[in-house]
Amino acid sequence: MKYDNLKHLKNYGIDLVSYVVERDFKNALQYYDKDDLVGYGVMGLLYAARKYDNSKGASFLTFSCKKIRQEIISFVRQKCQKRFRDIEGIDVETHSRASVQDEYDEEDERIYVRQAVNDLPEPHRTFAERYFFDKLTVKEFQQATTMKRHRIFQLRTQTIALLRVKISGRLG
């Protein structure tokens, strides 16, 4: 570990991480606690202090902001992938069809989900239809739309969050 880089932490520290979270992750703050994002950002700051090399030409501030963002994005991506796996794991067709009431409830849920998707703003609606209903992979969606991969993941995160809000509002 390069101990001479630790002096940079005194100059920037948690204030820099909070600034990056508030500046770059406004949307994520709607769904995640700021302390969680700051905690992962601090891990990025510590990594930056350990790996910073003055001879590369970048300032420590620039380098650390990049590492803070990368660590927070990694955290958010992991959370989104876990939630998506949880959502994907629910297979409506495998529920028991013991009664007419169960069938009605499943159909009612499908209608709620379809209506929530229809109520989404345009880029999110198209994404939800093609990704969730048509079962396009990220790569196939990328080829079909020429969107960059990070934008697709961002769109997926936003779409899932919007659907959760819309569906919980209808059921709640």
Side-chain angles (χ1 to χ4, degrees), residues 7 20 25 29 40 59 72 95 107 120 143 157 160-161 172:
K7 68 181 180 199
V20 170
F25 295 95
L29 288 174
Y40 280 89
S59 71
I72 294 171
H95 292 301
E107 185 60 32
L120 290 174
Q143 291 169 346
T157 302
I160 290 171

Side-chain angles (χ1 to χ4, degrees), residues 88-98 102 106 110:
E88 256 189 347
I90 299 171
D91 185 8
V92 178
E93 298 302 322
T94 61
H95 292 301
S96 77
R97 301 212 175 218
D102 289 341
E106 287 175 13
R110 282 190 202 112

